[in-house]
Amino acid sequence: MAEKNAAPKDFGFGEDEAMLRDLARKFLDEQLPVETLRRLVAEAPEPIYDEGERARWDEALWKEIVELGWTGLAVGEEEGGAGISLVGIAGVVEEVGRHALPSPLIPTLSASLVLREAGGPVARTILERIAQGATASLAITGERGSWDPDAPALEAREDGDTIVLDGMACFVQDAFKADVLIASARLGGDVVLCAVEAGAAGLTIDADHIHDLTRDQATLRFDGVRVGGDAVVSREALGALRKAWPGLLVLVTADLCGTSEWQLQTTVEYARQRTQFDRQIGFFQAVKHPLVDAMVEIDRAKSLLYHAACEIDRGSEEAETAARMAKSAASDAGAFISDRSVQLHGGIGFTWECDVHIYFKRSLHNQVLFGDGVHQRKKLAETLIGPIG
């Protein structure tokens, strides 16, 4: 039987992955109590951005995360990282989502996956920086908003020994917290990947107004940004982007699954406490049944998530299909439980005083990031039956 049709090997968590996930949960339980999360999301970002500072980010907590080696989870041991499997990383990111951690961890892990696939001396140098605590983000989506690795964000031209970047990169996650930006650009018939320092001349970072209070997002404008040879990660990067894409989907899916589980558990607890007509509201089928449906949907999404991570770790040809199935299921599950968690909390569900709204907005952002469920199913259909108009 061909390898791509073989049963998944070592599906799920091993002892090391389970220990890493449990440590992540314990650490975040202790270091990010809900009072701290409320304080962070209550900060107004715009005035602080103007002063060059980074809002909604506990930098003391981030230093502890760096000391734990989380930035180097997706970096190979030869570059100073931990070289953890994607299954193990997904477990950590799931806890990050469960605690709605405001941080550039997921963009940094995403950039690491792309750099790892690109390879080469420049990528290795940046990966070494990331393993030591540098932050990164991807600038790979253009102003047309295509969630497609074949549609680079920028245009590039050569000028002597340098490459000049022009154009706009959109939906750049936690750009204000990134030390280095990994940008894709079309150069002739190729796609190049360049590392651009956050303070590069000609680079403007404009904050997007988004609902999610736990991260920032920005539009980057490149006006003749020059990068030298020591910043060109790859001149033929399309293959690397395509190969890394399933991993990027898995990271967002893991965060989404963690967020959804928190919403479900919190809503179940509320249904056990809130009484109406002298009974806990969880007694009534109108409350009980949608919570059971949500549990089934979340479990299905988590199963697909771990299956996708295993396929990627194995280097399977089915990795993209598995990742799109997982993102599709997680986006739908996230939409369902987000809606029910607000409804079942009644009149307080969307108030500032109730924590549900924080997770609702983070989930909503994750649902559309790199394409919602409809987009993923369209891509799956194209894979199976060909292009769809």
Side-chain angles (χ1 to χ4, degrees), residues 2-6 246 307-312 314-325 380 383-384:
E3 176 67 18
K4 67 177 183 179
N5 294 325
H307 172 63
C310 285
E311 291 294 289
I312 294 168
R314 293 173 55 205
S316 166
E317 295 178 4
E318 304 297 325
E320 181 178 347
T321 298
R324 292 196 184 281
M325 290 174 64
L380 285 168
T383 301
L384 295 172

Side-chain angles (χ1 to χ4, degrees), residues 112-368:
S112 299
L113 294 180
V114 172
L115 291 166
R116 202 169 65 183
E117 294 298 341
V122 177
R124 284 196 291 275
T125 300
I126 302 169
L127 286 170
E128 288 171 357
R129 289 175 59 190
I130 289 174
Q132 294 169 5
T135 55
S137 189
L138 294 171
I140 56 175
T141 304
E143 56 185 313
R144 297 182 65 182
S146 172
W147 300 116
D148 191 337
D150 295 10
L154 309 170
E155 295 294 330
R157 57 185 168 85
E158 295 193 86
D159 185 11
D161 296 332
T162 63
I163 288 181
V164 183
L165 301 173
D166 288 290
M168 187 184 299
C170 302
F171 314 119
V172 181
Q173 303 301 299
D174 289 303
F176 287 94
K177 304 181 185 78
D179 298 316
V180 61
L181 301 151
I182 308 302
S184 67
R186 190 173 301 282
L187 177 63
D190 293 321
V191 174
V192 296
L193 272 182
C194 300
V196 180
E197 298 297 320
L203 174 65
T204 305
I205 304 178
D206 295 324
D208 295 339
H209 294 281
I210 59 174
H211 290 295
D212 188 358
L213 303 172
T214 61
R215 53 161 62 96
D216 66 64
Q217 178 182 284
T219 298
L220 274 53
R221 302 175 193 281
F222 291 73
D223 184 13
V225 174
R226 291 178 175 272
V227 294
D230 59 348
V232 178
V233 176
S234 172
R235 286 178 172 269
E236 297 179 355
L238 193 52
L241 285 169
R242 287 173 178 165
K243 198 168 181 181
W245 212 258
L248 308 186
L249 294 177
V250 160
L251 293 178
V252 178
T253 300
D255 190 86
L256 192 45
C257 285
T259 304
S260 297
E261 279 213 316
W262 182 94
Q263 291 173 298
L264 175 62
Q265 291 167 359
T266 301
T267 307
V268 167
E269 187 62 29
Y270 182 75
R272 285 174 173 161
Q273 295 175 0
R274 171 77 187 276
T275 59
Q276 195 74 27
F277 307 114
D278 296 327
R279 286 187 180 276
Q280 298 166 329
I281 63 172
F283 171 83
F284 301 106
Q285 290 186 346
V287 173
K288 188 185 305 181
H289 286 190
L291 291 174
V292 172
D293 291 341
M295 182 188 72
V296 171
E297 289 215 19
I298 293 169
D299 279 356
R300 180 168 53 190
K302 289 182 67 175
S303 296
L304 290 167
L305 164 67
Y306 297 132
H307 172 63
C310 285
E311 291 294 289
I312 294 168
D313 284 337
R314 293 173 55 205
S316 166
E317 295 178 4
E318 304 297 325
E320 181 178 347
T321 298
R324 292 196 184 281
M325 290 174 64
K327 179 62 166 60
S328 171
S331 292
D332 291 352
F336 183 76
I337 184 58
S338 290
D339 178 79
R340 296 305 185 275
S341 66
V342 170
Q343 285 188 5
L344 296 178
H345 273 79
I348 67 168
F350 210 78
T351 61
W352 189 262
E353 290 74 15
C354 181
D355 301 325
V356 168
H357 81 99
I358 300 172
Y359 286 80
F360 176 93
K361 293 167 184 172
R362 184 174 177 116
S363 176
L364 190 62
H365 191 97
N366 281 329
Q367 289 165 38
V368 297

